[in-house]
Amino acid sequence: MLRAEQIVSGDLTAAVGPGRLLDSTWIIAGKAELRNKLAEICNGYLQEILEIVQVSSVFNELSIPVSSWRRPWADAAISPRHAEELWAPGGVSVGSKAQVPWAHLGVGFSMLDGAVSPAIALRARTELEMLAARGALT
């Protein structure tokens, strides 16, 4: 007989003792106390399972293939030049000898005119400046 079947049938000793759900101190507890404690433990396990399921569902919703990230506005705004500015050494585009004005930053950087509203860009700049002033920006 499985431990769960023993407990359901009223043999609560299957749940009490070394290596069981409750340690030996619960041997002197009454059946009502044991049932309440086992219900509490079961409730805790079920709550954990529910949380795992909720996190898994959210994770699955956020874990979509990169191929589904494409959007028409982005396809229209981005050109091969932008990728070259991000990845080419010194920001020099293939087939071009000219460097972009921000090549001196030493990082991959490209500019998309009109992709972000000026208000959002200013808010982001303000937040970055505050982080930098506190030494929290590396």
Side-chain angles (χ1 to χ4, degrees), residues 118-134 137:
I120 291 175
L122 287 174
R123 282 183 26 215
R125 180 179 178 175
T126 302
E127 185 173 341
L128 288 170
E129 288 173 350
M130 287 185 337
L131 290 170
R134 290 191 310 229
L137 190 61

Side-chain angles (χ1 to χ4, degrees), residues 58-104:
V58 169
F59 181 77
N60 285 336
E61 290 170 10
L62 296 175
S63 305
I64 57 175
V66 174
S67 60
S68 65
W69 292 2
R70 295 190 76 105
R71 295 292 177 257
W73 74 266
D75 289 340
I78 298 172
S79 70
R81 175 184 61 86
H82 295 107
E84 292 166 358
E85 289 172 355
L86 289 174
W87 301 107
V92 177
S93 297
V94 175
S96 170
K97 300 289 183 209
Q99 283 192 334
V100 292
W102 46 85
H104 70 280

Side-chain angles (χ1 to χ4, degrees), residues 36 47 52 65-67 133:
N36 289 340
Q47 192 65 37
I52 290 169
V66 174
S67 60

